[in-house]
Amino acid sequence: MQLALESDVMDELTEAVATLDDVQDLLDDLVVSGLRCVPATTLARLRAVADEFGTIGAEHLSQQLAQLIALVEADDREAAAQMVRLQTSLRLFERVLSLESASSSLEHFVAVQQPDDELAEEDA
């Protein structure tokens, strides 16, 4: 049962990391092309990523991304500052995910090692 729960946690982490990778690739493209000439297809992909962040429980990132999209569509100069704030939040979220992943891996390692330790005690 515990292994199934750990697998679910790892699946969620993997999904969150994939979403992070997608948005970081999109933001890198925006840096290169500029915020004043963002294609409609890129905006649609950004909206999809914002929805995905909402689905995985990262509402803060979803809202920040939606705000960036709104500023880009309004051709507002504040879009660049918003993109930097979003990138900062994404990096922080990535660090949190790294810690969650390490914690989950450690818990799995401990759970797997405990039966071996118990057998060693019985043999002694």
Side-chain angles (χ1 to χ4, degrees), residues 30-118:
L30 290 180
V31 168
V32 173
S33 67
L35 294 172
R36 295 192 156 220
C37 57
V38 178
T41 55
T42 301
L43 290 174
R45 289 177 58 202
L46 287 170
R47 280 189 192 89
V49 171
D51 291 343
E52 184 64 26
F53 278 137
T55 301
I56 63 174
E59 285 296 323
H60 179 69
L61 294 175
S62 179
Q63 292 169 357
Q64 282 194 340
L65 193 48
Q67 186 176 7
L68 174 63
I69 294 165
L71 291 169
V72 167
E73 289 177 331
D75 197 25
D76 191 322
R77 291 186 180 269
E78 183 64 21
Q82 177 59 30
M83 189 165 83
V84 171
R85 285 189 290 272
L86 174 61
Q87 287 174 321
T88 302
S89 294
L90 288 169
R91 300 280 189 247
L92 180 60
F93 186 64
E94 184 177 31
R95 298 303 183 266
V96 170
L97 287 179
S98 295
L99 291 173
E100 287 291 324
S101 178
S103 174
S104 180
S105 295
L106 183 60
E107 287 174 8
H108 176 72
F109 177 76
V110 168
V112 169
Q113 293 300 315
Q114 283 179 345
D116 292 341
D117 293 343
E118 290 171 5

Side-chain angles (χ1 to χ4, degrees), residues 19-29 90-91 94:
T19 302
L20 270 174
D21 287 343
D22 289 345
V23 76
Q24 288 174 343
D25 289 344
L26 289 169
L27 293 178
D28 288 345
D29 291 345
L90 288 169
R91 300 280 189 247
E94 184 177 31

